[in-house]
Amino acid sequence: MPGGRRGLVAPQNTFLENIIRRSSSQPDSSFLLANAQIVDYPIVYCNETFCKISGFNRAEVMQKSCRCSFMYGDLTDKDTIARFEESLEDQNQDQFEILLYKKNRTPLWLLLHLAPIKNEKEVVVLFLLTLRDITALKQPIEADDNRASLSKFAKLARSVTRSRTVLASQFASNVSGVKENGKQSNIAHYQMMSLSSDVLPQYRQEAPKTPPHILLHYCAFKAIWDWVILCLTFYTAIMVPYNVAFKNKTSEDVSLLVVDSIVDVIFFIDIVLNFHTTFVGPGGEVVSDPKIIRMNYLKSWFIIDLLSCLPYDVFNAFDHDEDVSSCAVSVTDRSENGIGSLFSALKVVRLLRLGRVVRKLDRYLEYGAAMLILLLCFYMLVAHWLACIWYSIGLSDADNGVTYSWLWKLGNITQTPYSYLWSNETMSPILVGGPSRKTMYVTSLYFTMTCMTSVGFGNVAAETDNEKIFTICMMIIAALLYATIFGHVTTIIQQMTSATAKYHDMLNNVREFMKLHEVPKALSERVMDYVVSTWAMTKGIDTDKVENEASV
């Protein structure tokens, strides 16, 4: 999925997208969008050009009033400010020349155009403020025009500034209305933002227009595909460390080879789809141009995705020339296949997809429940990885002749001891026998879970130096994970129960109020019935506040 921004949410309209796309062709075009249905008309979007000419960054501008009072100065004309505020209150289209100040208090003359934006119900929901820097045209004109050092360009600029009629007529042709179905359009036409003579897009519910072979990143098919990729990513996160540690891939494991080959094919198809899927650009617009989509994916995730989908297991499965013992117990092949296992482990980079997919889960699930499940899954996943490493360390020590490692002791306890068998092919002893693969994995996972959640029970303990070093590192990692993950779990559970706590707190306050003021029992019961029924309908949600926040 190209682009890892949290803005990958299906846009409810294409107004902002079209404004950004049409204004991007001219670098000096700047604009602000403000919410027209909230007091003080807060700014909900500003483009990069405005940040450059004003000196304020986007975080400093967002949610401030579109009156731009934070840019007023001593010489800002009070009459112009009053006219500007009157146009906002009356929701009228207007144009001003106003002196504002940059962040460093440098004077800045702007030609400001105010356009109210209506939705399909003819309700003004946004204010679009376009601004053009005309400081060069507003230089002091009291100086002598006959100076020898005065350039022709400066004279021309001053003559244009003096002639208000010329300046007004220059932009008057850029502001006009159009007829739609016999009625006046609610969106103005103008060229101040390099929109040529195009009509500003209407603020209404619609999907962006894309080429036939381009998928919208929020369409139903892509949502289902994301779920499939998420499940397969978890499958990879579990099986790759297990296969590398327990040598679970041989030429005899045909079923696992087939499953992993299918998974590799699906991830390869995902790469192809990523070359044909829209993404959210840096300005918040939906990018649907095929060339831009391809270049963005090539520069971002293509190499990582390609490395993660290569069929390493197919290459390595038939690289086992040694005979495998036919005894019932597991046989560990310690031949020269470390390089193959290393390449198979490259599929772990597929886990980087988790961050790109998981952040979209809150679109489909309740956020608290989704995060709770994901945190617990991540905790179990880390325990699984550590269990695979724990087994590998025990096996390495046992293979090197250490007969007091945890794996060797496990074999004695389960009455399936290890032994050494001389190999005529390798001319060295190989380790045979031992517990079943299931027993070894369950014991490894049991040990890591007990160490991650407590100090362990001692029935499985570190014996060798390598095991002790790994256990120390695991305890340090587990302490941080335990504090972080379960701290978040506590917060999420508290948030999930906050509504119930708020409800009971409100009821307690009402009861205390009734007792304090000795309200009659009949009236008290009616008040309690009203409070309970109101809460049942609203669930404690401030409807007006939600509507104001969702109006843009």
Side-chain angles (χ1 to χ4, degrees), residues 17-29:
E17 173 195 352
N18 291 328
I19 290 294
I20 295 173
R21 186 177 65 249
R22 297 183 187 186
S23 64
S24 60
S25 60
Q26 186 172 349
D28 61 345
S29 61

Side-chain angles (χ1 to χ4, degrees), residues 151-392:
S151 64
K152 294 182 179 181
F153 177 78
K155 291 181 179 179
L156 178 61
R158 291 187 178 186
S159 64
V160 172
T161 306
R162 289 194 186 99
S163 179
R164 289 298 184 96
T165 305
V166 174
L167 186 62
S169 62
Q170 178 182 358
F171 291 101
S173 61
N174 297 330
V175 182
S176 61
V178 295
K179 298 290 182 178
E180 291 184 354
N181 301 325
K183 296 182 180 180
Q184 186 72 16
S185 173
N186 56 13
I187 304 295
H189 292 205
Y190 55 93
Q191 296 177 337
M192 292 177 58
M193 291 177 49
S194 72
L195 298 182
S196 303
S197 58
D198 297 338
V199 184
L200 279 176
Q202 205 173 28
Y203 189 88
R204 62 184 180 184
Q205 306 292 325
E206 60 181 4
K209 298 179 181 179
T210 59
H213 61 284
I214 297 298
L215 289 172
L216 290 173
H217 59 270
Y218 57 87
C219 65
F221 170 78
K222 199 63 173 62
I224 297 173
W225 184 262
D226 288 343
W227 276 102
V228 173
I229 293 298
L230 179 62
C231 295
L232 294 181
T233 302
F234 275 113
Y235 169 82
T236 302
I238 295 172
M239 292 306 298
V240 168
Y242 180 81
N243 292 333
V244 172
F246 287 83
K247 299 298 180 293
N248 200 35
K249 291 288 185 67
T250 66
S251 57
E252 295 181 355
D253 297 323
V254 178
S255 59
L256 288 175
L257 286 175
V258 171
V259 171
D260 278 1
S261 298
I262 294 174
V263 172
D264 292 335
V265 170
I266 292 176
F267 276 100
F268 181 78
I269 295 174
D270 183 63
I271 292 179
V272 177
L273 291 180
N274 285 335
F275 280 111
H276 299 83
T277 304
T278 61
F279 68 98
V280 177
E285 76 282 6
V286 177
V287 178
S288 59
D289 185 271
K291 294 182 179 179
I292 299 178
I293 291 175
R294 296 188 189 105
M295 291 304 299
N296 177 77
Y297 184 53
L298 286 172
K299 293 178 180 179
S300 55
W301 291 98
F302 173 72
I303 300 298
I304 295 176
D305 290 346
L306 182 63
L307 288 176
S308 67
C309 76
L310 294 179
Y312 301 108
D313 297 322
V314 176
F315 301 151
N316 299 327
F318 301 98
D319 193 29
H320 299 267
D321 298 327
E322 299 79 3
D323 293 332
V324 181
S325 175
S326 59
C327 47
V329 295
S330 64
V331 178
T332 321
D333 183 12
R334 307 298 294 173
S335 60
E336 297 177 358
N337 56 4
I339 297 178
S341 298
L342 178 62
F343 278 106
S344 295
L346 285 176
K347 300 178 77 171
V348 175
V349 299
R350 198 173 289 171
L351 300 179
L352 296 175
R353 294 170 176 264
L354 284 176
R356 288 180 280 165
V357 180
V358 168
R359 64 168 53 95
K360 302 172 72 173
L361 284 180
D362 55 353
R363 289 170 45 194
Y364 313 109
L365 299 175
E366 198 277 326
Y367 179 75
M371 287 302 300
L372 186 62
I373 294 173
L374 289 174
L375 287 174
L376 293 177
C377 289
F378 179 73
Y379 192 76
M380 289 297 299
L381 191 61
V382 173
H384 166 75
W385 293 343
L386 294 176
C388 294
I389 298 175
W390 174 250
Y391 165 79
S392 299

